[in-house]
Amino acid sequence: FVAVGSIEALKTEGFLISEKDNVIVVSNTDNTLSALNLLCTHKSCALEWEKDSQNLVCPCHDSKFAIDGKVLNGPADQPLSKYEVKEEEGQILVKIG
């Protein structure tokens, strides 16, 4: 597990990004957490979080992904990898790989 940020930062922002680990953690509306690979499955561009739509969007070719990793818009045709995520001692931890 790697630490990607604090629980407080997640509550404040609604999401955490670790560019070093290529992971995003999002707080879902049902108070669960989702951790996904931050690289588009089309050409590995770094995805951007759209807070209003609750989707991940690729700035390179406009692929769009849902918070569960499913492809909403191509050209990507493979879902994002999901990771195990947990809260521990005030930190958000993600199991990568």
Side-chain angles (χ1 to χ4, degrees), residues 3-12 15-16 89-93:
V4 295
S6 70
I7 292 171
E8 281 305 311
L10 180 61
K11 286 180 182 175
T12 301
F15 67 99
L16 296 170
E89 296 180 9
Q91 294 293 307
I92 302 297
L93 305 174

Side-chain angles (χ1 to χ4, degrees), residues 26-92:
V26 178
S27 182
N28 299 310
T29 55
D30 63 358
N31 292 323
T32 60
L33 299 175
S34 294
L36 299 167
N37 189 302
L38 192 57
L39 299 179
C40 182
T41 57
H42 176 239
K43 296 282 185 182
S44 297
C45 292
L47 299 170
E48 296 174 353
W49 175 244
E50 285 188 343
K51 190 173 183 178
D52 292 340
S53 68
Q54 299 282 295
N55 293 317
L56 289 156
V57 178
C58 181
C60 297
H61 302 105
D62 295 323
S63 291
K64 188 179 284 189
F65 299 86
I67 194 54
D68 62 1
K70 291 181 183 169
V71 177
L72 298 174
N73 244 29
D77 60 4
Q78 296 296 311
L80 298 172
S81 297
K82 293 187 253 182
Y83 302 120
E84 185 180 341
V85 60
K86 66 181 180 178
E87 297 178 21
E88 191 173 283
E89 296 180 9
Q91 294 293 307
I92 302 297

